Amino acid sequence: MSFSNFEPATILAILPEILLLGLAIIILLVDLLFKRSEKSFLGWLTAIGLTVILVVTLAYSRPTGEDPLILGGMLRHDWPAYTFNIVLIFAAAITAILSVGIPEIADRGEYFALLVVATMGMNLMAASADLVMLFLAIETTSIPLYILAGFLKGDNKSTESGLKYFLFGAVTSAVMLYGFSLLYGLTGETNIYRLAEAMRVGELSPLLLGGTALLVLVGFAFKISAAPFHFWSPDVYEGAPTPITAFISTASKAAGFAVLIRFMLAVFPAIEAEWTWILAIMATLTMTIGNILALAQTNIKRLLAYSSVAHAGYALIGLVALSTLGTASVVFYLATYILTNLAAFAVVIVFARAAGSEEIANYAGLSRRSPYLSLAFLIAMLSLGGMPPLVGFVAKFYVFAAAVQSGWIWLAFVGVLNAIIGLYYYLTVLKVVYLYRSEEDDNLIPVPRSYAFALALCSLAIILIGTLSAPWFNWAMNAAQSLF
Amino acid sequence: MTFPLLSIIVFTPITFGVLLLFFPAENHRAIRVTALIGATIALGASVFAYFSYDQAAAGYQFIEKVPWIPTFGISYHVGVDGMNLPLVLLTGVVMFTGVLISWGIDDRPRDFFAFLFILATGVFGVFASLDLFQLFFFYEIAVFPMYLLIAIWGWKVTREYAAMKLTLYLFVGSVIALIGGLAMYFAAGMNSFDMLELESAGFSTVFQKIWFPFVFFGFAVLGGIFPVHNWSPDGHVAAPTAVSMFHAGVLMKLGAFASLRVGIMLLPEGAKFWAPLILALATVNVVYGAFIASVQTDFKYVIGFSSVSHMGLVLLGFATLNLDGMTGAGIQMFSHGVMTALFFAVVGMVYDRAHTREIPRLGGFAKLMPLVAVAFIIGGLVSMGMPGFSGFIAEFPIFMGLWQTQPIVAIIAAISIVITAGYIMRVVGRVFFGELPAEFEGKITPINNLDRLALVVLAAILILIGVYPSIMAPLVESGAEAVLALVGGA
């Protein structure tokens, strides 16, 4: 590694990360300056800060045509990294807005600072091109998330959630790190692109490589909650503060996919066939297990947890396709899934604030108690179920198209059959919302302005990107092309 | 830039639907009036399109094409010819009369009309579509509002079950067809979802034989083909009146039309190969549907199963793959749509007053609601294929076409006409004539003018086509010729 050819352009490339770190520090400082009762603006401060960073990233951090490997090969500043950066910062901003109305966390500076640091870690994950950097980035993301999941100290479930997340995370990280060490041992390289080159030349035994790949895959599969490493997700999702659940189920998963995509396309072309079969089986398991277990849930957060497992499975289909179109479809799928799931969780938070419940049965009569909240829920759920004109439809369409194009027709069929199971339980929830009545029908549910804003933004985007997906998909194609 | 007539037809309903969502929920009158305005505009535009279509020129007209997702060669591409133009008109008619019939809905009418109008846009969009992706897009839009419409406003006893069953059946069918569509897209390798271009893709015979069943039967689920017809009577019965009208009148045509447009027209060799199976299944539809209809005691189930039977005739017409059969199927789609809308409107009016649909418990309604009785009898005559009504114009060519290909099927299917006459007569006799049960004495309120208008419009169309077939037959024939040009032969 050498830092001799350091250029000012490098600063621009890691500008988002620098700014995020700055924002975290500012939040901590502001936190010290104000009294507890005056600090409810912290969420908005974070959201606005993140929005500014988003705009700056969009304007100045675009990848240039030059050598994308920067900082001595630690990071690769390319279109996929840039795309994921934007998506992740957006998700963090929405999460910050969703946190504004929750009493136990709205006035806690450390909460928002940890959120921002985790986002920084995710951005680094998306760009890491070196095993060491990758591991550091994953831990920078995970450790704040463990704390955030257990943030509600008075709540046993939250504590359980934090602890469980930590234990699962630590074990899978260890296995993954062991895989990394084997990779280094086999090739003598830590940069994943040079490592790939070394593997091609080295004529290593495919069995050894495959075994190592599986070890590494454990860590990534944990991050994206793919079966059979999904067991943590329902408990963690249920116990964590809901904005954090939203964040883990969207941004953290997307960051995991960013790593998986980069790693897989760079490191394992040598054992392509076996690798894609493993992923195909994993996708099938993930979708099927996620969807079937979701059927039996009575708690909305657990339902969304299993649904998020299933969605990881759909996204994996695009990865199995192993083509530009496939990769683009994964990127597009994740970005839109983030949008949709954030909207769904926003509704869950608003409802829990007013009704104090996360049981699906208690959603009865919601359409009378708040028609617009129900409409937002309808849009989010149907988009998750893959109905046009919402974005979930085109996202699934692209993924299945990629599978058919690459000849994975059986996988596409598995995908569509799963989509049907998915639709069933999303409709079951909507049935409760729209059809059933409760004794509290006249008890209107207020929607605070911050949530109304977040919901309107997400819902409009769901419809707009769903009907006019061309420019967004082209962006994803652009990102995918630079990986091939 | 020409006048975007079809886009206006397609997007008027959803525009009004979204507009309605911003109305205050309590203002029922404003909501209904706005809905009626929207429906009238859509109907007016489709009538205008129907009569300004240049029959001499034939082919696709009022074409609009705008790139939508260029990476995939997807465009927003609409156009109508002799096959789908009547269906666009049908949708306009059913939507308009459906709004009239639904005037009395008091439970959240805002949401009801909004969902109904989103559904209508989906239906118009499919019928007018010349792009495969667009067809799927609108097809799914047409499926999901159905769930809510039935589950929320439907018949309390079966609505949850029926709504879920219907949605899942249709979704299964459509996603299987979607994979077939994707397979076609990649096999053609033209980077285009444009159906006019895919028609000339020259798929290999083997490819067509493999993928035809996925596409055809995937869509035919919504057309009510045996043995996956089961969602339809349950759905019809559970749905509120206007939704039953839409459902049986228009949605089933959506399935049949999509099977024709995507299955038969894009994979003609596959159609020839699989035609015997379609013939066999559709014959079961026709005969079995009629038999089941004749043993129902629930008024609405009679009509529900009669739809299964009549849709079988449409599929039979397709499977003949000749001009007579295809033309007949085209007219039958329109005729059955209007007829069944009329039937369900009548059933709804009777049920709203008697609060029962058990045929043995009803009687003598002709005295109390003469117009309703007349309307039902007209529908019944259409259903039996009586000359002078549109049913004859539709069914006669289908049987002619069948005779040319499979005389035995024609004979078997013709049995259904007798059975149909039997159950229609029974219903007419029991429900509208005979003694009025004492429990209804003085309790039956007359229907209002909006209901009357709806019945008159629907009945008038059925008679008009019956006595003056050249208003529709040559048009549909030109569409059928275009289909056969692709299939070749015959």
Side-chain angles (χ1 to χ4, degrees), chain A residues 7 60 65 81 96 103 115 126 138 140-141 173 182 260 271 298 303 321 353-354 357 373 377 444 458 465 468 472 483:
Chain A
E7 284 174 36
Y60 295 107
L115 181 68
I138 290 178
T140 312
T141 310
S173 276
L182 285 179
L260 185 60
I271 48 167
T298 56
L303 181 116
R353 265 170 57 100
S357 170
L373 191 63
F377 206 38
L444 296 183
C458 290
I465 303 180
L468 303 170
W472 311 91
L483 282 172

Side-chain angles (χ1 to χ4, degrees), chain A residues 325 367-368 371-372 375 378 382 385-389 393-394 397-398 400-401 404-405 409 412-413 416 419-420 423-424 427-428 431 434-436 466-470 473-474 477, chain B residues 21-23 68-72 74 107-108 110-111 115 133 136-138 140-141 143-144 147-148 151-152 159-160 164 167-168 171-172 175-176 178-179 182-183 186 193 211 214:
Chain A
L325 175 60
S367 73
R368 288 183 170 80
Y372 291 111
L375 190 66
L378 175 84
L382 288 179
M387 281 292 177
F393 171 76
V394 273
F397 175 80
Y398 292 141
F400 296 148
V404 174
Q405 186 197 29
I409 290 172
F413 272 111
V416 296
I420 293 157
L423 186 68
Y424 174 81
L427 284 180
T428 316
K431 182 173 77 178
Y434 273 91
L435 182 54
Y436 294 162
T467 39
L468 303 170
S469 63
F473 190 69
N474 284 344
M477 280 299 260
Chain B
L21 285 175
F22 291 99
F23 275 54
W68 189 1
I69 307 175
T71 323
F72 275 91
I74 292 168
D107 178 22
R108 288 170 285 174
R110 176 184 72 177
D111 301 350
F115 291 141
F133 174 84
F136 281 109
F137 190 86
F138 281 104
E140 304 287 358
I141 292 183
V143 170
F144 85 82
Y147 174 80
L148 291 167
I152 302 176
R159 61 188 181 187
E160 287 180 36
M164 189 60 89
T167 313
L168 294 184
F171 197 58
V172 172
V175 289
I176 288 174
L178 176 68
I179 302 284
L182 285 170
F186 288 114
F193 271 97
W211 286 102
F214 289 97

Side-chain angles (χ1 to χ4, degrees), chain B residues 116-317:
Chain B
L116 190 68
F117 280 21
I118 292 173
L119 169 69
T121 283
V123 175
F124 276 129
V126 173
F127 285 147
S129 182
L130 290 180
D131 184 279
L132 190 54
F133 174 84
Q134 185 198 345
L135 188 138
F136 281 109
F137 190 86
F138 281 104
Y139 193 90
E140 304 287 358
I141 292 183
V143 170
F144 85 82
M146 210 67 195
Y147 174 80
L148 291 167
L149 285 167
I150 296 179
I152 302 176
W153 290 276
W155 184 42
K156 288 197 173 55
V157 182
T158 59
R159 61 188 181 187
E160 287 180 36
Y161 162 75
M164 189 60 89
K165 184 170 176 179
L166 174 147
T167 313
L168 294 184
Y169 263 75
L170 302 191
F171 197 58
V172 172
S174 68
V175 289
I176 288 174
L178 176 68
I179 302 284
L182 285 170
M184 277 192 239
Y185 168 78
F186 288 114
M190 297 192 295
N191 190 30
S192 170
F193 271 97
D194 192 318
M195 289 196 279
L196 300 183
E197 290 176 31
L198 287 174
E199 281 168 3
S200 58
F203 298 114
S204 73
T205 313
V206 177
F207 177 88
Q208 298 202 23
K209 283 179 186 169
I210 292 175
W211 286 102
F212 179 81
F214 289 97
V215 176
F216 185 88
F217 293 106
F219 283 123
V221 173
L222 183 48
I225 194 167
F226 181 86
V228 283
H229 65 286
N230 222 298
W231 58 274
S232 108
D234 285 327
H236 294 332
V237 169
T241 303
V243 178
S244 301
M245 289 165 67
F246 236 96
H247 188 226
V250 182
L251 243 83
M252 294 182 84
K253 313 306 172 289
L254 207 63
F257 173 74
S259 328
L260 171 73
R261 191 70 192 80
V262 185
I264 296 176
M265 290 175 78
L266 296 187
L267 302 171
E269 291 301 321
K272 283 182 197 157
F273 181 76
W274 290 92
L277 179 67
I278 304 172
L279 274 178
L281 292 176
T283 311
V284 178
N285 261 62
V286 173
V287 179
Y288 167 85
F291 268 116
I292 301 288
S294 59
V295 297
Q296 298 298 316
T297 56
D298 183 313
F299 198 2
K300 215 170 178 180
Y301 265 110
V302 175
I303 309 300
F305 278 102
S306 90
S307 282
V308 173
S309 170
H310 283 104
M311 284 310 291
L313 285 175
V314 173
L315 296 170
L316 276 183

Side-chain angles (χ1 to χ4, degrees), chain A residues 237-258:
Chain A
Y237 282 25
E238 188 188 359
T242 315
I244 293 305
T245 309
F247 193 59
I248 294 175
S249 76
T250 55
S252 171
K253 183 170 292 206
F257 264 104

Side-chain angles (χ1 to χ4, degrees), chain A residues 204 226 233 272 282 316 342 360 430 462 464 475:
Chain A
L204 297 163
S233 65
E272 205 173 86
M282 195 186 232
L316 277 173
L342 284 173
I360 295 170
L430 290 176
I462 288 170
L464 203 69
W475 185 335

